[in-house]
Every structure is written in structure tokens, then in C-alpha cells.
Amino acid sequence: MSTIAQVVSCLDGYDPDALRVDKAGAAIRACLAPVTQAETVAIRDSLGRVLAQDIVPRINVPGHDNSAMDGYAVRFLDLNSSNEKKETILRQIGAAFAGKVFQGKVQAGECVRVMTGAVMPQGADSVVVQEVCRADGERITIPAGQRAGQNVRAAGEDLKAGVAVLRPGQPVRAAELGLMASLGIAEVKVVRRLRVAFFSTGDELASIGTPLAPGQVYDSNRYTLHGMLSCLGVEIIDMGVVRDDPTQLEAAFAAAAAKADAIITTGGVSVGEADFVKQLMARLGEVLFWKIAMRPGRPMAFGRITSGGHSAILFGLPGNPVAVMVTFHQFVRDALLVLGGRTDSVGVPLLQAVSATSIRKVAGRTEYQRGVLFEENGARKVRTTGQQGSGVLRSMSEANCYIVLEHERGKVEAGELVSVQLLAALA
Ligand code: AMP
Ligand code: MG
């Protein structure tokens, strides 16, 4: 197996001290080895999980040609040609309901009353909606202008027996649950849940429930991480706050690597931090220290840590609360989804919106400003949430989107188009 350094050094334009966001993403992706173990669960429990098998229907859905409307099942050949604008009178010989099949066969000049979902009576090929027909006892008058095959759903129109409909690596959402249920599938193989351990580092951190000493701040990062990880359906291992102390940190990293597939830490990677945190990370495995050309979130560590023969991917995020969310959303989220077996596209698309104000920005880094997307006079517009400091978590709370200002871009003038990414899509 090649080392992480070998893998990333092969990437075009890789520069750890001025790493473009797209290069950092590519470097991370190149190093991921997705989980392959699977388990079988009842389909209800597969919601939010990743399929570890194909779904190949054994039956057609629907199982039979059936009526899409309430009306009369007819033989199209029996109807007077639409050009003549002539009505046709047919004799009703029975009725078919959803779940109750008509037993006979429709012969020339006959029709059968059908309800939506009813199996098409033998011999009939088209359904005329009841609203346009006139019934006088069993004499049914059908107006001119009908089309052959109208209002009939074909057997297998939704799902065809033998034709794979879902693939391994796809997430199970509400639609897939329903789809599997429509095939009568009770259990399904899914990728085992990814285990993600995280802890906060910093001597200044207090846990909630304890009073704040002078100079202390409450640890909020573990809570934002808890929230963001919960949306991904991973198994969460919260390891609390770890002091900036070599022995405690080493023990925490070892414990995390032994039980998790991925480790997320916050704090300890910025330039001002004691170097021993980085030295320690580097000693326990292979960890790269990046200065990413982005704001917020410039410093970040990425690598792999091994303990007791078990290794885990490490994301060493900066300590600032907004930087934690931005680096998580832009790098960690996608990486965890891929590690968890997803093979579809996991990225969140960018939309375009008109900037309602000018925005300060210098070329040479990607910025993720917190924005509010809104509609005005039918136009999609966006404004920033105001103060954009990387410690201002309120800017995330007030936002419904990131305003993504591309690497090369300079100042934005009011009225220019900018890219936005919906926070709801990242959840
Ligand atoms: P660091 O990256 O460790 O230098 O931290 C940068 C800033 O983020 C400092 O102001 C820290 O106090 C703050 N910070 C670090 N970790 C946390 C945390 N878990 N919760 C809230 N603030 C934090
Ligand atoms: Mg710190």
C-alpha cells in the first residue's frame, strides 16, 4: 500500500503550504478506502444507510396492465373513428375493481366498468374516463375522439422483472424504501455504519455543566460536530475534551484509532499552537499539515493514525467554530460519505444568485461566506449575514447558505452573480 505522502505528491499542483480547495479535496479522495463490510437489516431500518447489494426485481410492478382512471375498459377497434365525430354505444357486461379482477372476456360491442388500479379485463385495451361517458342501464355511450391504449398502465411500467433498479453504493431514502416494498422485499444488505470518533483539544475549553474559569470558553465544537455527523447517519463516538497535554492526547488518539474508521479533532493545528500536538499526530501515523487557500479554515491536518493494528483516517480541523463547520462541510462530509460506501455523487451543487450587496474578497483563496438566500421580485438574491469572523458562530446560525467565492475571484459588486450552496443540502 502506498503512503499518503506518495499518493498526494502525484497530484498535479499539490502544494501543502498553499493548497487550493479543489486540490485538497482531490488529495483526500485519493486516500480513502471505503468500508466494505455489510449487514442485513429489515428494509425499514435501511433508511439513511448505503446499499451493499443490487436490487433486481423478481416481479413486474405493476404486475398486470391496469386502469389509470375510473371509467370503462373498451376495445379500441369497436369505437367509431374519431374523424366521424360519432359516438359509440357499448354494452356493459360487468365491473372490475382494484384487487377484484373481472373474470370474463370483452367481446365486440362490449365494455367493462373499471376503477383506478383494476386489472384490465381480457380483450380490452383502452379506458375511457367515466366523466365523458353516458350510462343508461347497461347501455354506455362513448364519445368520439378516443386514443388507442389510453389510460392504461402497462405491466412492468414502473419496475421490470430481471432489470436491476438499485445499485450497491446508493443511499436508501424514502423512495427506495417504498420501491423495495413494492417488490415485496423484506430485508436488504447495507454497508455497516461508519464509526467516527471525535474530540476537542485545548486548555481553554470547559465542558458545559462546569462553571467558566477566567479565560475559558465552553466547548461548542463537539456539539456542532455531533449535529453535522448525526445528519450523515454515522455511528458517533464523542470522546470529550482533551487537554493540550502530550500524554492525554496520545492516549486519546490511540483509543480513537483502535475503535473508529475516522477521527475528527478540533484545535491544535493552527500556527500559534504548541508544536507538540502536530509532532504527536505525526508520530502516531502519517499526517500531513496543510495550509489551505480558503477562508475560514486555513490550517488543517489530514492523514491516517494507527493503533493496535487498527488504523483510522484523521481530520485535524482548526479550532475556530465557524472554520470547523466550513472544513467539515467542504471536506469531511464528502469523505465520510465515500468511506461509508457511497458511490453516487455526494457533492452538493452550487446555485447562482444575484449578490444584493458588494462583498469584500481578495483573489487567491476560496471564501465561504455565510449568506441568506431570498427571493425578491421573482429574482434569486443573496446577502451576507454580516460579521464573518471565524469565531462568529452566529453567522452560521443566521445563514441558510454559503456564498462560495471562487479562488480567482476578487471583490464582488452588488448585482453580480455569485455561487451559493444551500446548508439544507449539506445536512
Ligand atoms: P486553535 O485552533 O486551537 O488555536 O483555536 C482557535 C480558536 O478557536 C481559539 O479562540 C479557541 O479558543 C477556539 N476554540 C478551539 N476549540 C474550541 C472549541 N472546541 N469550542 C469553542 N471554541 C474553540
Ligand atoms: Mg487550541
Side-chain angles (χ1 to χ4, degrees):
M1 199 173 115
S2 37
T3 66
I4 286 180
Q6 281 165 348
V7 172
V8 298
S9 63
C10 295
L11 296 169
D12 228 27
Y14 174 75
D15 173 3
D17 291 321
L19 194 58
R20 289 179 61 120
V21 166
D22 51 347
K23 298 292 172 198
I28 292 171
R29 269 195 306 282
C31 298
L32 300 176
V35 165
T36 51
Q37 294 103 311
E39 59 191 352
T40 300
V41 298
I43 58 164
R44 228 190 267 281
D45 298 324
S46 72
L47 185 64
R49 305 288 297 271
V50 178
L51 283 179
Q53 65 166 92
D54 281 314
I55 299 292
V56 183
R58 296 227 177 105
I59 55 172
N60 281 324
V61 178
H64 308 272
D65 292 353
N66 67 87
S67 177
M69 302 294 262
D70 293 347
Y72 295 91
V74 302
R75 301 166 11 128
F76 184 74
L77 272 179
D78 289 351
L79 304 183
N80 291 314
S81 147
S82 54
N83 303 343
E84 296 176 33
K85 302 226 175 335
K86 266 179 73 185
E87 303 176 332
T88 310
I89 294 170
L90 299 175
R91 190 170 69 87
Q92 184 188 333
I93 56 164
F97 301 95
K100 190 159 171 288
V101 179
F102 174 74
Q103 296 300 345
K105 184 171 179 186
V106 181
Q107 309 285 354
E110 297 175 343
C111 67
V112 170
R113 177 100 173 94
V114 286
M115 296 298 160
T116 305
V119 171
M120 279 298 282
Q122 255 191 75
D125 53 33
S126 308
V127 170
V128 183
V129 295
Q130 62 186 10
E131 289 81 357
V132 303
C133 303
R134 266 191 342 267
D136 177 12
E138 57 181 31
R139 276 167 56 95
I140 310 298
T141 307
I142 311 281
Q146 310 304 324
R147 283 176 299 104
Q150 69 186 18
N151 301 324
V152 177
R153 305 175 186 139
E157 165 183 294
D158 185 0
L159 305 170
K160 270 204 173 43
V163 180
V165 58
L166 300 178
R167 293 289 184 191
Q170 253 183 276
V172 179
R173 306 164 305 164
E176 286 72 30
L177 278 191
L179 195 149
M180 291 189 281
S182 75
L183 292 169
I185 293 172
E187 290 187 326
V188 67
K189 238 163 68 173
V190 292
V191 180
R192 80 149 163 83
R193 262 186 225 282
L194 199 69
R195 287 189 278 270
V196 182
F198 61 95
F199 53 89
S200 298
T201 72
D203 282 338
E204 76 280 31
L205 302 179
S207 291
I208 53 179
T210 60
L212 277 186
Q216 281 193 319
V217 295
Y218 282 120
D219 171 16
S220 59
N221 288 342
R222 277 192 301 128
Y223 290 84
T224 39
L225 280 175
H226 176 89
M228 294 186 293
L229 287 167
S230 297
C231 297
L232 300 184
V234 300
E235 199 179 300
I236 294 172
I237 308 169
D238 184 343
M239 297 178 62
V241 171
V242 180
R243 302 277 150 232
D244 289 327
D245 166 81
T247 317
Q248 288 184 38
L249 275 169
E250 177 156 6
F253 277 118
K259 60 187 166 199
D261 302 299
I263 306 168
I264 302 172
T265 64
T266 67
V269 293
S270 58
V271 178
E273 287 290 329
D275 270 347
F276 73 85
V277 181
K278 297 181 210 169
Q279 282 168 12
L280 190 69
M281 282 186 182
R283 195 151 58 73
L284 294 172
E286 208 203 340
V287 181
L288 307 172
F289 295 90
W290 290 338
K291 293 194 181 74
I292 305 179
M294 71 187 286
R295 182 150 138 169
R298 196 164 114 90
M300 191 176 131
F302 171 71
R304 179 170 282 283
I305 278 186
T306 305
S307 173
H310 192 276
S311 80
I313 286 276
L314 170 73
F315 297 93
L317 306 186
N320 272 310
V322 180
V324 167
M325 294 197 77
V326 171
T327 49
F328 183 95
H329 281 147
Q330 302 306 326
F331 300 116
V332 182
R333 175 188 175 276
D334 291 11
L336 295 182
L337 291 175
V338 170
L339 277 176
R342 288 276 294 269
T343 55
D344 58 331
S345 98
V346 294
V348 169
L350 296 173
L351 311 175
Q352 299 296 305
V354 175
S355 183
T357 59
S358 65
I359 306 175
R360 288 212 331 250
K361 157 82 164 66
V362 291
R365 67 180 181 219
T366 307
E367 290 197 11
Y368 297 89
Q369 301 219 357
R370 278 71 71 207
V372 178
L373 189 67
F374 61 100
E375 215 182 89
E376 196 175 68
N377 305 326
R380 191 192 286 153
K381 295 189 175 178
V382 68
R383 62 174 173 82
T384 72
T385 54
Q387 240 193 347
Q388 295 288 312
S390 63
V392 183
L393 198 49
R394 189 163 49 83
S395 69
M396 282 297 312
S397 173
E398 288 172 358
N400 62 10
C401 70
Y402 286 120
I403 304 172
V404 183
L405 302 175
E406 296 82 0
H407 188 90
E408 319 292 355
R409 188 155 193 169
K411 182 178 182 223
V412 176
E413 302 294 349
E416 282 182 27
L417 278 180
V418 290
S419 301
V420 301
Q421 200 176 36
L422 286 176
L423 294 182
L426 288 158

